[in-house]
Amino acid sequence: MKKLLILGAGMAGTMAANKLTRLFHERQLDWQITLVDPDALHYYQPGFLFVPFGVYGGDDIVLPKRRLLPSDVELLQACIVEIDHEHNRVQLSSGEKLDYDFLIIATGADIHPEQTPGLSGPAWGDTIHTFYSFQGAVALFEKLRVWKGGRLVVNVVENPIKCPVAPLEFLMLADAFFLAKGMRDKVQLTYATPLSGAFTKPVAASHLNTLLAIKGIQVEPDYLVEAVNPDMRTLSSFDGRELGYDVLVSVPINMGATVVGESGLGDDLNYVPVNQHTMLDERHPNIFVLGDAAALPTSKAGSVAHFAIEKFCANFLDHVNGRQMHESFDGHANCFIESGHGKGLLIDFNYVTEPLPGAYPVPWVGPFSLLKETRANHWGKMLFKWIYWNILLKGYRLPIPTDMSMTGKQTAEAMN
Amino acid sequence: MQTLTKNTIGGKEIMLNGEGFLVHAEDWDKQLAIGIAVAEGIADLTDDHWKVINFCRQTAQNSKSPTLRQITTGTGISTKTMFALFPKGPAKKVARIAGLGKPEGCV
């Protein structure tokens, strides 16, 4: 019997375990899959965005991890202390050691407010909030419910972050939320971002900058925060710009798992360098890295994990049997962007093609529109929660292509 | 999509793109770097400046300059010092002076 050990039972680990279990059954292969995760609960992370506005509660976005896995997959709830890649062994905090033939690192990325001076002190949860954790999103819900208005600043400390559009969505939903409460005129919304505008890539940035301007959301570009002063309620940047707030919604620096760094596998942010088309750690031919834990040159997003895992599973048996891997991940991802008032946008991109206007998934038809605010896009996002729990995590295939398609897309040149 | 402009820097005619990055990498030499630095408001390039410029040129991938974190980790120069050396957007500024493309984050 061969042993496959998966570190992390988040979206990537769960999806891979479900898909590979089915593959091993179909081929009647004798593999034991073991997952290790310190947390017993699985969070639907795209749902965190909606919690502060009372759209989703815990019942919508939390399930026990065990319920999402096949019965013959072993799930251990434990902390991982060391990945001993020289000896193909992982040590747990209980002292238990797990040997593996193949290892999947799917330990994700998490926020680290302690890396920014002043961010994680006593004001955390009072005047400083985040929606990048379930507890944080719930605390922010409580805050916004009774808040009388003032300056709300959303600050991204440093890129890359999980779901780079989420801070924009938060601001647009906040605009709609305060309008509905009849207090929009009492709230000043500001986005302080290390980027030069709302978004990285030019075509999407231009669309999103316009949307933010229409909604009266101010952008403080090229803002690299040096420290937070919770007593004065100010942010200060490395270039000396001070920004006052009454509520700070922070997206603290995101980093990979500490154990990845301590085991000598990570880069400066504890992400594992991999082949961007196969997700193989080329220094260790029996280690793959899936989801946010990998240092791929694209967004940290569930969508990236989803399409990458489709390719990974198609390649896995070839690789195990010493054959060449034929499937190549192109960096494809798509993300709905909530813009408030029951509307949303959609972006579709890969390693080389930036988000462009068009229709998705059927070129020229849709039903979803790329880089355009529509109600269909909003309903796509809402429907996605059901798809996530019932199709994606279970490892079933969605009826959409895994590779990105240029068909029907308007290129930047054509737009000029 | 980008507008290109012809510029004369340090007596040399070069092409810059709309964001001020060098279009033809082969035009770059140390003299040009000094000229671009002056245009960027840095009158003197010190040893520390050169340490950063050289690091960026050595680690650039596909002519894309490294990110600020990659520079601070790679050179041991702190973010604060980077802002003192290359004020207002140090990663982009050093990329222009080093004759490299814009340091690009991901989507």
Side-chain angles (χ1 to χ4, degrees):
Chain A
M1 191 205 300
K2 283 211 164 109
K3 289 180 186 167
L4 173 65
L5 180 58
I6 304 179
L7 306 181
M11 182 195 161
T14 302
M15 189 178 162
N18 277 304
K19 282 187 98 69
L20 289 177
T21 298
R22 208 167 301 126
L23 182 71
F24 297 153
H25 283 177
E26 276 166 20
R27 306 282 177 94
Q28 297 183 327
L29 299 170
D30 195 15
W31 283 76
Q32 172 61 48
I33 301 180
T34 302
L35 271 105
V36 186
D37 196 296
D39 198 337
L41 298 174
H42 186 113
Y43 296 94
Y44 171 60
Q45 292 188 62
F48 290 170
L49 169 71
F50 295 101
V51 172
F53 306 108
V55 180
Y56 288 159
D59 290 348
D60 296 294
I61 62 173
V62 191
L63 276 179
K65 287 183 194 276
R66 180 69 264 179
R67 270 176 53 189
L68 302 164
L69 294 162
S71 56
D72 51 352
V73 166
E74 187 184 19
L75 175 65
L76 301 176
Q77 193 185 335
C79 292
I80 303 146
V81 177
E82 192 195 358
I83 304 165
D84 180 0
H85 41 86
E86 297 296 323
H87 301 97
N88 299 333
R89 193 182 298 149
V90 165
Q91 184 169 343
L92 307 182
S93 53
S94 60
E96 192 180 349
K97 289 179 178 162
L98 304 172
D99 293 315
Y100 60 82
D101 295 299
F102 282 85
L103 179 71
I104 295 175
I105 298 175
T107 40
D110 210 348
I111 54 169
H112 287 266
E114 77 286 354
Q115 297 279 329
T116 303
L119 195 55
S120 62
W124 185 260
D126 178 20
T127 50
I128 305 179
H129 288 264
T130 191
F131 62 94
Y132 268 63
S133 70
F134 180 62
Q135 291 75 10
V138 171
L140 188 49
F141 166 70
E142 297 295 343
K143 180 81 181 183
L144 296 186
R145 210 164 49 93
V146 295
W147 195 44
K148 301 278 182 253
R151 299 161 299 173
L152 190 153
V153 174
V154 175
N155 173 239
V156 172
V157 171
E158 186 176 327
N159 285 306
I161 57 167
K162 292 195 268 192
C163 191
V165 293
L168 301 172
E169 295 181 279
F170 180 88
L171 282 157
M172 292 192 282
L173 288 176
D175 167 65
F177 175 81
F178 292 123
L179 263 175
K181 285 183 88 171
M183 56 182 282
R184 180 64 182 89
D185 56 336
K186 296 190 178 65
V187 177
Q188 185 185 322
L189 295 172
T190 305
Y191 183 38
T193 167
L195 298 174
S196 299
F199 201 63
T200 45
K201 302 292 174 185
V203 177
S206 141
H207 279 77
L208 292 166
N209 280 329
T210 307
L211 256 185
L212 294 187
I214 291 169
K215 292 172 191 293
I217 298 164
Q218 290 165 23
V219 179
E220 192 70 31
D222 299 310
Y223 196 88
L224 205 62
V225 68
E226 182 178 8
V228 180
N229 184 338
D231 297 331
M232 302 294 292
R233 291 208 297 265
T234 53
L235 294 168
S236 53
S237 67
F238 279 102
D239 59 3
R241 274 179 282 167
E242 281 220 336
L243 207 53
Y245 63 82
D246 296 299
V247 171
L248 171 63
V249 178
S250 174
V251 184
I253 188 167
N254 285 204
M255 293 172 78
T258 310
V259 66
V260 167
E262 288 174 351
S263 303
L265 291 168
D267 64 10
D268 46 11
L269 287 170
N270 295 337
Y271 299 123
V272 189
V274 290
N275 179 306
Q276 66 180 48
H277 301 296
T278 63
M279 284 67 69
L280 179 70
D281 173 357
E282 289 180 325
R283 303 163 300 178
H284 307 98
N286 61 342
I287 301 181
F288 285 91
V289 188
L290 301 176
D292 294 343
L296 292 178
T298 185
S299 297
K300 302 234 163 274
S303 178
V304 172
H306 161 218
F307 291 121
I309 290 168
E310 296 283 355
K311 298 288 188 177
F312 156 76
C313 289
N315 278 331
F316 186 66
L317 289 181
D318 277 341
H319 180 72
V320 163
N321 292 309
R323 294 188 294 263
Q324 202 194 334
M325 294 189 269
H326 290 286
E327 296 287 334
S328 172
F329 177 53
D330 64 351
H332 184 204
N334 43 51
C335 315
F336 289 108
I337 305 174
E338 274 296 285
S339 56
H341 308 286
K343 287 184 180 174
L345 294 84
L346 178 66
I347 53 174
D348 187 60
F349 54 94
N350 69 11
Y351 288 138
V352 293
T353 306
E354 65 175 306
L356 296 169
Y360 185 87
V362 185
W364 298 288
V365 176
F368 304 119
S369 310
L370 297 171
L371 270 180
K372 197 172 150 193
E373 256 194 309
T374 68
R375 290 196 183 278
N377 289 339
H378 164 72
W379 287 112
K381 178 132 185 160
M382 292 292 131
L383 181 68
F384 186 72
K385 178 163 69 78
W386 186 90
I387 293 174
Y388 180 87
W389 290 122
N390 297 286
I391 299 180
L392 274 189
L393 282 186
K394 300 287 172 65
Y396 298 117
R397 240 192 119 89
L398 276 176
I400 50 172
T402 304
D403 292 320
M404 199 207 73
S405 164
M406 274 307 289
T407 315
K409 281 203 169 101
Q410 248 183 296
T411 61
E413 286 73 26
M415 278 181 265
N416 274 322
Chain B
M1 191 173 182
Q2 290 269 14
T3 7
L4 303 182
T5 50
K6 235 183 229 178
N7 288 262
T8 309
I9 293 180
K12 192 169 178 175
E13 199 167 82
I14 50 156
M15 293 286 271
L16 297 178
N17 72 13
E19 290 177 285
F21 294 93
L22 194 64
V23 176
H24 304 294
E26 62 278 11
D27 287 345
W28 190 88
D29 58 27
K30 291 198 166 185
Q31 219 37 53
L32 182 67
I34 293 166
I36 299 176
V38 170
E40 291 279 339
I42 302 170
D44 274 317
L45 288 180
T46 62
D47 287 351
D48 275 350
H49 286 106
W50 282 111
K51 185 176 173 185
V52 178
I53 295 166
N54 290 333
F55 172 81
C56 291
R57 288 190 58 85
Q58 280 154 16
T59 54
Q61 288 178 342
N62 304 321
S63 297
K64 294 264 159 57
S65 191
T67 62
L68 184 58
R69 176 168 284 272
Q70 287 162 343
I71 297 170
T72 54
T73 309
T75 60
I77 290 173
S78 72
T79 308
K80 191 81 186 158
T81 309
M82 279 296 292
F83 271 88
L85 291 171
F86 302 95
K88 296 181 181 176
K92 269 186 274 183
K93 195 155 272 193
V94 71
R96 288 195 195 101
I97 297 170
L100 300 165
K102 188 177 174 179
E104 263 185 35
C106 298
V107 166

